[in-house]
Amino acid sequence: MGGALHARPVTIVGGGVAGLTAAIALRRRGAQVDVLERAPAITEVGAGLQLSPNALRVMQALGLLPALDAVSLPSRAVVLREAAGAQVVRLDLARHRPGAPFRLIHRARLIEVLEQSAREQGVTIHLDRTVEIPPEAPLLIGADGLHSRIRAALNGREVPFFTGQTAWRAVIADDDDTPEAQVFMGPGRHLVSYPLSGGLRNIVAVLETRDWRDEGWSHPDDPANLRGAFAGFGGPVPGWLARVDAVHVWGLFRHEVASRWQDGRMAILGDAAHPTLPFMAQGACMAIEDAWTLAACLDATPDQPAALARYESLRKPRAARIVAAANDNARNYHLTGPKRLAAHAALRLGGKLAPGAILSRFDWIYDFDPVTEMS
Ligand SMILES: Cc1cc2nc3c(=O)[nH]c(=O)nc-3n(C[C@H](O)[C@H](O)[C@H](O)COP(=O)(O)OP(=O)(O)OC[C@H]3O[C@@H](n4cnc5c(N)ncnc54)[C@H](O)[C@@H]3O)c2cc1C
């Protein structure tokens, strides 16, 4: 099987993680790929990302692991802590899944690796090209993110709802590169931090609030608001927050997974198909999985409508399950009162008696191999 993509023209709207990974995966199978990106340059204001083994298997198949390893750090553990800093449980990722690492990377470095590979392989990237109405291409891929035009063309107008949570993100200079993610859990708020390569540290802080915030990643805020909201936190948090001099804030909205992913000519992937709350750190990872599966389905048969229908049927249930898991995690981090004490005690005990059991809850996310699934 395979070969159906040879010399086929493909137009991709959006040059983010989903669009560029799809461009590489399609090009490697012989397609003629054009990417239309609205930004005048592929530059990134994003912060850190955690890449889990499910996505890294795709990166390996695309030959991108050495380039990614050079600009990312391994992540060996996730440490859950009380707001004051005391450890609740340490989840040892490296021991639970030896040989299948997690990586911590600045989103800008990931985009650079993808863009360079796409260009080297002969993908044509057209910058400064905002798509308002889906172009009449025979195969059109919508990788145009949260407010996707292609999703709207397939599904009509949809209205997301505000979750009552806002999030700040910041990157600070920090020479502590202990390769683990730390989660500090307080009533109605939590803060996640991990190191990035190049002496940087990523901070994401989430607060339950009634204040409505715009959706989107790029709204600047006063660092004093972040410091105020997390003033009661201890451990290293006050020191980190004291060093924040630029911060962005955004409202967390819940979107349904798109009900229609394709119509035989157009298909969507990444945030265009399934925007997620950030609490499973799977937004970029799902986009990378989608890209591989989409290219493999299209390459397996010249029957484009059948290939796109297969792609949708393979990807939609998994995306919906991950988005639901991220919604649940939002609640778990923010418990208050007796529920919080009970949950933390259970985690502490679980961490002592059966640490693997806590991690095994998400084996279905991290052990998934999109590459062998399609081979
Ligand atoms: C600026 C930014 C920062 C982020 N930071 C984080 C983070 O810190 N942690 C995290 O977990 N996730 C973050 N995310 C989300 C995460 O990166 C996404 O879940 C994941 O990258 C999915 O990528 P995507 O390619 O589907 O969408 P996006 O990354 O949103 O990419 C969509 C691309 O399409 C382009 N585009 C949109 N509309 C049009 C149009 N009409 N015509 C042409 N081009 C268009 C956009 O300019 C963009 O380049 C961030 C996203 C953005 C945009």
Side-chain angles (χ1 to χ4, degrees):
M1 289 290 272
L5 274 171
H6 183 71
R8 291 241 311 269
V10 186
T11 304
I12 299 177
V13 182
V17 176
L20 291 173
T21 309
I24 297 165
L26 291 159
R27 178 73 196 123
R28 283 170 63 98
R29 291 171 185 269
Q32 298 296 328
V33 185
D34 287 85
V35 175
L36 311 180
E37 165 57 47
R38 71 175 167 198
I42 299 208
T43 53
E44 273 303 323
V45 297
L49 286 176
Q50 305 183 56
L51 290 180
S52 48
N54 45 317
L56 289 169
R57 291 183 187 106
V58 172
M59 290 300 164
Q60 181 165 25
L62 294 175
L64 298 176
L65 264 198
L68 285 177
D69 282 357
V71 292
S72 64
L73 294 178
S75 178
R76 301 208 191 290
V78 176
V79 184
L80 302 183
R81 297 184 181 279
E82 304 278 4
Q87 179 173 312
V88 175
V89 70
R90 183 173 195 280
L91 305 173
D92 193 328
L93 303 172
R95 189 181 305 168
H96 184 68
R97 198 171 278 98
F102 287 62
R103 308 285 308 181
L104 305 170
I105 189 167
H106 196 293
R107 198 169 175 280
R109 302 289 88 73
L110 173 61
I111 292 285
E112 280 163 14
V113 166
L114 293 172
E115 186 197 3
Q116 188 182 348
S117 168
R119 289 192 192 277
E120 279 170 9
Q121 309 215 19
V123 170
T124 309
I125 301 176
H126 308 264
L127 298 171
D128 223 348
R129 289 280 290 274
T130 301
V131 169
E132 300 291 352
I133 297 167
E136 284 301 321
L139 176 51
L140 183 68
I141 308 298
D144 47 345
L146 206 53
H147 305 291
S148 167
R149 300 289 171 151
I150 313 301
R151 173 173 176 156
L154 287 168
N155 290 275
R157 186 165 176 271
E158 300 162 290
V159 183
F161 71 89
F162 183 53
T163 60
Q165 294 172 324
T166 54
W168 288 271
R169 65 182 167 80
V171 174
I172 57 170
D174 189 32
D175 52 19
D176 174 6
D177 60 359
T178 310
E180 49 191 39
Q182 304 196 54
V183 184
F184 297 80
M185 304 175 290
R189 65 204 72 198
H190 79 275
L191 183 146
V192 181
S193 181
Y194 48 82
L196 299 169
S197 64
L200 300 175
R201 169 165 293 278
N202 188 56
I203 296 171
V204 176
V206 177
L207 173 71
E208 286 175 16
T209 168
R210 275 191 223 117
D211 288 351
W212 183 278
R213 294 280 189 171
D214 277 347
E215 197 177 22
W217 295 94
S218 315
H219 305 289
D221 195 22
D222 183 341
N225 293 333
L226 168 61
R227 286 191 271 271
F230 287 82
F233 278 46
V237 173
W240 292 337
L241 297 188
R243 303 211 301 279
V244 170
D245 52 18
V247 65
H248 290 81
V249 66
W250 75 99
L252 296 179
F253 283 65
R254 222 197 258 187
H255 298 249
E256 297 297 328
V257 171
S259 61
R260 206 165 168 222
W261 286 38
Q262 54 81 33
D263 67 355
R265 180 178 82 87
M266 304 188 277
I268 48 178
L269 79 165
D271 279 7
H274 45 70
T276 177
L277 294 177
F279 306 126
M280 288 304 303
Q282 285 293 306
C285 294
M286 282 193 283
I288 291 167
E289 290 184 1
D290 289 345
W292 180 272
T293 304
L294 177 64
C297 287
L298 284 164
D299 203 31
T301 170
D303 181 345
Q304 184 172 308
L308 294 182
R310 181 171 171 231
Y311 157 71
E312 177 173 358
S313 70
L314 285 170
R315 293 300 305 160
K316 200 194 282 178
R318 178 167 165 82
R321 196 175 168 201
I322 293 176
V323 169
N327 294 343
D328 284 350
N329 247 7
R331 281 190 290 276
N332 295 341
Y333 284 155
H334 292 187
L335 298 173
T336 52
K339 273 192 188 162
R340 171 184 163 75
L341 292 175
H344 287 192
L347 276 173
R348 278 200 177 90
L349 191 64
K352 286 202 182 91
L353 298 180
I358 301 176
L359 280 167
S360 296
R361 280 179 57 213
F362 297 118
D363 282 353
W364 61 274
I365 296 182
Y366 307 129
D367 286 345
F368 178 66
D369 185 344
V371 179
T372 53
E373 185 203 36
M374 299 305 297
S375 58

